[in-house]
Amino acid sequence: MVTITDISRACGVSRATVSKALNGAPDIAAETAERIRECARSLGYLPNATARALKVGRSNNIGVLFSDSTGGGISHEYFSKILESVKAEAEKLGYDITFISKDLGDMKMDFYEHAKYRNCDGVVVASADFHDPAIIRLCTSDIPTVTLDYVYDSRTAILSDNVRGMEELVTYVHSMGHRRIAFIYGELTSVTQKRLASFKKTCASLGISVLPEYMRQGVYHDPRSSGLATRALLSLPERPTCILYPDDFSFIGGMNELEKQGVSIPKDMSVAGYDGIPLSQVLRPRLTTYRQGAERMGAEAARLLVEQIEHPDTWLPQQVTVEGELLTGDTVSRPD
Amino acid sequence: MVTITDISRACGVSRATVSKALNGAPDIAAETAERIRECARSLGYLPNATARALKVGRSNNIGVLFSDSTGGGISHEYFSKILESVKAEAEKLGYDITFISKDLGDMKMDFYEHAKYRNCDGVVVASADFHDPAIIRLCTSDIPTVTLDYVYDSRTAILSDNVRGMEELVTYVHSMGHRRIAFIYGELTSVTQKRLASFKKTCASLGISVLPEYMRQGVYHDPRSSGLATRALLSLPERPTCILYPDDFSFIGGMNELEKQGVSIPKDMSVAGYDGIPLSQVLRPRLTTYRQGAERMGAEAARLLVEQIEHPDTWLPQQVTVEGELLTGDTVSRPD
DNA sequence: TTGTATGCGTTATCAT
DNA sequence: ATGATAACGCATACAA
């Protein structure tokens, strides 16, 4: 490994001078600096992030937290997209990303301790059980954090616009003539609460009555439960004319059930999903859904976190809401 | 931040003693050690990974490389599963993982330099253009590496058993009575070469003739191209009775085309995918496919990499092949 | 059994 | 404009 010392010897200057030259300090003669840089290049010098971090107290490394227990794992397309964009944006800003977990090897640690242990300059909490004390500890600590889809008091958060998403979906479906709209929703997280509230509010303002038998709890990302809920809805004396699913993937379960019962989409039943994952747009008929702005959310999260890290004094926590986009597919038609 | 020095002061011992006690060195009196550990706990001491790394020359951090350019991004379910299991296994072994990329911020670096810069103890190359000189440089460097689905000479690699997978698929399809089997394959990577060779060899040994018009190149993960290839196959004077797709997701395109032409699966046409992603098993009919052992591949990659890191002297490079599993769905039936 | 001294590679302060 | 020196937090060889 070639260090700053090697360069100093090769150039016949002190280590301090080399360091300054390499970092573009103003008090080094232009030609000296150039000579040193050239020398560094020819020797194949690479800065040592570890040593630098130890010295300056900043690692240029941000942690990312995906706690799988909630089912919000990396293999969910929504989260993998977020991860991808956090990564891309962070790298653009000069930061590496490291996963934060608990219990590294045989050292018992919680998330906060892990982040400290690795000297993370900040962490993006992308998917977690936000009521877990360990998560709360991290998110209310001295470490800069940005949460996704959940807000802690006086903390920065990036939010997918679930209220608007639901509103757009319901409004669209209503505009297509539907009045008997069923909603299969996921586990009662804060995201779900928002979608539920928005569903009800939008229905109310459109003069649609929300029948309790049209509201069924399902499970995110679980086609089976969506299938069962669909079956229940189909067995009602008065069927809905449109079913909203918890998400695009779980819709597959509904799709199967409808097909099985000979109910054609969208002729006999209109449907819509949520998320706007690629799958939804390659299905035929193309699924009507609301695409969450995962890419922008990830990028914003990284951007705001880095800003907070680099300007802690002037930083004001903020909640950024990222709008999605209604994807008008071919699964919602005018009811007879 | 509470350091080893704080503890030494609080306990009235030297820093060396604290360090040893905390690391369980054998030459510290049991009660002294316990007193120190207790003190550390009460002060909320956390080891500083950065300082330790600088001192011992090992970071307990492994890099993971997903180069998106090849389309092998994190949001591909196969790769996200691998990432997930690499992460889980690495953490179990006491290693954090950091993404390796090129061009961090405004510093121009290649992959090797990035890994060095971060002091990675090793790196898992999960998805990359293996002919890229930058990848080659990394994989043939002094840094321990493990590649997935590609072998560099005298290097450790984890391989999905594409030969066997294809063989099982073809054999199964053959056993169901099919003789006119079409194969839509992806871009010509080494993985594809293996699947192609295995397809041909298996066909040959089963006495099936491989018609050139039944072999069509498509694109991985691209339903559109699979749809086009399907259309071409359907327009042949003598249609195949079974179509093998590059992967489960791209099969969707074929599914749509078949549906559009009123060709029923599996009554009029049998089909099979590859990968065994969750989607394939929630479709109806359930897709016949070959599930790659992504979880085991990731875990093995991490395990072997760590072993190589921790026992560099006794290490022998090896290629581990991870078998998958034939998922007999409902999309292959006996032809008339 | 404990402590002293040193250095990992870097940057920052203060002299020169 | 350049250099000597110290310090970041830790682990280890060696001395006591």
Side-chain angles (χ1 to χ4, degrees):
Chain A
M1 176 183 220
V2 28
T3 75
I4 231 173
T5 308
D6 300 323
I7 301 176
S8 79
R9 270 201 277 270
C11 291
V13 295
S14 75
R15 287 162 10 184
T17 306
V18 175
S19 175
K20 288 180 192 170
L22 259 27
N23 292 317
D27 60 349
I28 296 292
E31 58 173 326
T32 315
E34 187 41 53
R35 186 164 53 90
I36 290 175
R37 274 191 291 268
E38 174 50 32
C39 179
R41 220 170 298 132
S42 73
L43 289 181
Y45 169 77
L46 278 177
N48 182 325
T50 304
R52 196 203 301 261
L54 180 60
K55 179 62 185 162
V56 305
R58 284 248 323 272
S59 61
N60 277 276
N61 192 105
I62 71 184
V64 194
L65 182 38
F66 281 90
S67 144
D68 303 329
S69 59
T70 62
I74 308 167
S75 42
H76 280 45
E77 230 163 329
Y78 174 59
F79 291 111
S80 65
K81 271 272 171 290
I82 287 180
L83 172 58
E84 224 164 37
S85 58
V86 166
K87 172 175 182 287
E89 183 71 15
E91 282 166 359
K92 201 180 299 172
L93 298 170
Y95 287 74
D96 278 313
I97 83 178
T98 296
F99 284 110
I100 293 303
S101 60
K102 56 162 82 167
D103 299 343
L104 196 62
D106 35 31
M107 0 180 30
K108 290 286 167 206
M109 298 198 270
D110 64 13
F111 299 115
Y112 170 74
E113 291 165 346
H114 189 174
K116 275 292 189 192
Y117 167 71
R118 273 296 170 200
N119 282 285
C120 291
D121 295 335
V123 9
V124 173
V125 181
S127 131
D129 172 2
F130 293 102
H131 297 298
D132 179 346
I135 298 289
I136 296 176
R137 181 183 185 200
L138 171 66
C139 293
T140 57
S141 72
D142 53 314
I143 302 176
T145 56
V146 173
T147 50
L148 274 88
D149 280 336
Y150 189 90
V151 181
Y152 286 106
D153 185 53
S154 310
R155 286 281 170 166
T156 296
I158 313 291
L159 303 166
S160 184
D161 199 344
N162 287 289
V163 170
R164 185 192 176 104
M166 211 60 220
E167 183 187 324
E168 287 205 26
L169 271 177
V170 173
T171 302
Y172 170 71
V173 163
H174 173 267
S175 78
M176 292 294 280
H178 293 271
R179 297 300 178 266
R180 299 208 302 277
I181 307 171
F183 181 21
I184 305 174
Y185 51 92
E187 306 93 311
L188 288 179
T189 61
S190 66
V191 164
T192 310
Q193 310 273 20
K194 281 182 195 156
R195 291 190 196 164
L196 268 173
S198 178
F199 175 81
K200 290 176 187 164
K201 181 176 173 202
T202 307
C203 282
S205 76
L206 290 172
I208 307 175
S209 56
V210 176
L211 302 181
E213 60 266 37
Y214 284 180
M215 309 289 289
R216 303 207 63 100
Q217 175 154 13
V219 176
Y220 285 119
H221 220 77
D222 180 26
R224 206 186 51 83
S225 88
S226 283
L228 293 176
T230 301
R231 186 184 306 174
L233 290 170
L234 289 179
S235 71
L236 289 176
E238 186 165 50
R239 286 185 178 178
T241 62
C242 179
I243 303 177
L244 306 185
Y245 286 88
D247 57 85
D248 297 343
F249 186 75
S250 72
F251 156 70
I252 302 288
M255 186 180 87
N256 294 333
E257 183 65 26
L258 290 167
E259 166 110 24
K260 194 161 109 191
Q261 302 213 16
V263 179
S264 153
I265 301 172
K267 197 169 70 62
D268 307 323
M269 178 67 76
S270 291
V271 297
Y274 207 100
D275 277 355
I277 59 175
L279 171 64
S280 72
Q281 299 310 295
V282 299
L283 290 175
R284 291 296 173 272
R286 241 170 58 246
L287 183 60
T288 297
T289 187
Y290 189 81
R291 185 172 66 186
Q292 304 199 69
E295 298 82 355
R296 275 198 43 220
M297 291 177 67
E300 280 294 286
R303 206 178 56 77
L304 293 189
L305 183 60
V306 168
E307 216 163 285
Q308 182 176 357
I309 289 167
E310 300 186 346
H311 310 289
D313 34 344
T314 69
W315 178 254
L316 281 179
Q318 51 188 293
Q319 287 81 48
V320 174
T321 298
V322 174
E323 284 179 17
E325 175 192 8
L326 180 70
L327 298 181
T328 320
D330 307 306
T331 55
V332 174
S333 70
R334 302 198 165 273
D336 309 319
Chain B
M1 177 182 220
V2 28
T3 75
I4 229 173
T5 308
D6 300 322
I7 302 176
S8 79
R9 270 200 278 269
C11 291
V13 295
S14 75
R15 287 157 33 193
T17 306
V18 174
S19 175
K20 287 180 193 169
L22 259 27
N23 292 317
D27 60 350
I28 297 292
E31 57 173 327
T32 314
E34 187 42 53
R35 186 165 53 93
I36 291 174
R37 275 192 290 267
E38 174 49 33
C39 179
R41 222 170 296 132
S42 72
L43 289 180
Y45 170 78
L46 278 177
N48 182 324
T50 304
R52 178 180 301 180
L54 180 59
K55 178 62 184 163
V56 305
R58 283 249 323 271
S59 61
N60 277 276
N61 191 105
I62 72 184
V64 193
L65 180 39
F66 282 89
S67 145
D68 303 328
S69 60
T70 61
I74 308 167
S75 43
H76 281 46
E77 229 162 328
Y78 174 58
F79 291 111
S80 64
K81 270 274 171 290
I82 286 179
L83 172 58
E84 223 164 36
S85 58
V86 166
K87 172 176 183 287
E89 183 71 15
E91 283 167 358
K92 201 179 300 173
L93 297 170
Y95 287 74
D96 278 313
I97 83 179
T98 296
F99 284 111
I100 293 303
S101 60
K102 55 162 81 167
D103 299 343
L104 196 62
D106 34 32
M107 1 182 27
K108 290 287 169 205
M109 297 198 270
D110 64 12
F111 299 114
Y112 170 75
E113 292 166 346
H114 189 175
K116 275 292 189 194
Y117 167 71
R118 274 293 170 201
N119 282 284
C120 291
D121 295 334
V123 9
V124 174
V125 182
S127 131
D129 173 2
F130 293 101
H131 297 298
D132 178 349
I135 298 289
I136 295 176
R137 181 183 185 202
L138 171 66
C139 293
T140 56
S141 72
D142 54 315
I143 302 177
T145 56
V146 172
T147 50
L148 273 87
D149 280 335
Y150 189 90
V151 181
Y152 287 106
D153 185 53
S154 312
R155 286 280 169 167
T156 297
I158 313 291
L159 304 166
S160 184
D161 199 344
N162 287 289
V163 169
R164 186 192 175 104
M166 211 59 221
E167 183 186 324
E168 287 205 26
L169 271 176
V170 173
T171 303
Y172 170 71
V173 163
H174 174 265
S175 78
M176 293 294 280
H178 293 270
R179 297 299 179 267
R180 300 207 303 278
I181 306 171
F183 181 21
I184 304 174
Y185 51 92
E187 306 92 311
L188 288 179
T189 61
S190 66
V191 164
T192 310
Q193 310 274 20
K194 281 182 195 157
R195 291 190 194 164
L196 268 173
S198 178
F199 175 82
K200 290 175 186 164
K201 181 175 173 205
T202 308
C203 281
S205 76
L206 290 171
I208 306 175
S209 56
V210 176
L211 302 181
E213 60 266 36
Y214 283 180
M215 308 292 289
R216 302 208 62 100
Q217 176 154 11
V219 177
Y220 285 120
H221 219 77
D222 180 25
R224 207 186 51 83
S225 87
S226 284
L228 293 176
T230 302
R231 186 183 307 174
L233 290 170
L234 289 179
S235 72
L236 289 175
E238 186 166 50
R239 286 185 177 179
T241 61
C242 179
I243 303 177
L244 305 185
Y245 285 88
D247 58 85
D248 296 344
F249 186 75
S250 72
F251 156 70
I252 302 287
M255 186 180 85
N256 294 333
E257 183 66 26
L258 290 167
E259 165 110 26
K260 193 160 110 190
Q261 303 211 14
V263 179
S264 154
I265 301 173
K267 198 169 69 65
D268 307 324
M269 180 65 77
S270 291
V271 298
Y274 207 100
D275 276 356
I277 60 176
L279 172 65
S280 71
Q281 298 310 294
V282 299
L283 291 173
R284 291 296 172 274
R286 242 170 58 244
L287 184 59
T288 297
T289 187
Y290 189 80
R291 185 172 66 186
Q292 304 199 69
E295 298 83 354
R296 274 199 43 221
M297 290 176 68
E300 280 295 286
R303 204 178 57 77
L304 292 189
L305 183 60
V306 167
E307 216 163 287
Q308 182 175 358
I309 290 167
E310 301 187 345
H311 310 289
D313 35 344
T314 68
W315 178 253
L316 281 179
Q318 51 189 293
Q319 287 81 46
V320 174
T321 299
V322 174
E323 284 179 17
E325 175 192 7
L326 180 70
L327 298 182
T328 321
D330 306 306
T331 55
V332 174
S333 70
R334 302 195 164 275
D336 309 319

